[in-house]
Amino acid sequence: MTEVTPDNEARGGAPPPSSPPPASPPDNGWRKEYWSRNLRLMVILLAIWFIVSFGFGVLLVEPLNNIVIAGFPLGFWFAQQGSIYVFVILILVYAKMMDRLDSQFGVDEPETEGAAK
């Protein structure tokens, strides 16, 4: 049988009965708010991408094909090119919005001298 001492307590022994209770966890309210805003932004941007790619490129392709731009039906353009362009733009918007969110919560990356902006 092994005696529980402060030395072997760190190795997995039971704490002595006179030890104080563990400290309460730090306040993580800001982390929950940060994650909530991040999820809200992702859902909005993914909804936009879904509407553009599936809605305009598949469901509404026939009505949009009645509109011709530069010789191509608009529905065809959305199905072939538009959803890709919108996706790239949404990535840039997400990066910019997350930079702002990071700054608001103080978790942004520090600017280093000579770094590209």
Side-chain angles (χ1 to χ4, degrees), residues 2-24:
T2 307
E3 183 181 339
V4 177
T5 63
D7 292 339
N8 69 4
E9 179 181 338
R11 290 180 279 161
S18 63
S19 67
S24 62

Side-chain angles (χ1 to χ4, degrees), residues 96 99 103 107-117:
K96 186 68 172 171
D99 281 345
S103 295
V107 293
D108 54 337
E109 296 177 10
E111 293 289 328
T112 57
E113 197 171 309
K117 290 186 179 182

Side-chain angles (χ1 to χ4, degrees), residues 33-80:
E33 178 66 22
Y34 176 82
W35 186 242
S36 169
R37 289 188 188 185
N38 183 9
L39 286 177
R40 187 176 335 139
L41 176 62
M42 282 192 295
V43 166
I44 290 169
L45 295 178
L46 286 172
I48 292 170
W49 186 46
F50 176 79
I51 290 168
V52 169
S53 64
F54 189 71
F56 293 164
V58 177
L59 297 177
L60 299 174
V61 71
E62 293 300 323
L64 289 174
N65 278 339
N66 294 329
I67 303 169
V68 177
I69 297 178
F72 294 101
L74 189 58
F76 174 77
W77 184 84
F78 269 113
Q80 299 301 315

Side-chain angles (χ1 to χ4, degrees), residues 73-116:
L74 189 58
F76 174 77
W77 184 84
F78 269 113
Q80 299 301 315
Q81 303 291 328
S83 62
I84 296 170
Y85 291 149
V86 169
F87 183 66
V88 170
I89 291 168
L90 290 177
I91 290 172
L92 297 174
V93 168
Y94 178 76
K96 186 68 172 171
M97 296 296 289
M98 283 307 296
D99 281 345
R100 287 184 188 162
L101 187 64
D102 289 350
S103 295
Q104 286 177 356
F105 283 88
V107 293
D108 54 337
E109 296 177 10
E111 293 289 328
T112 57
E113 197 171 309

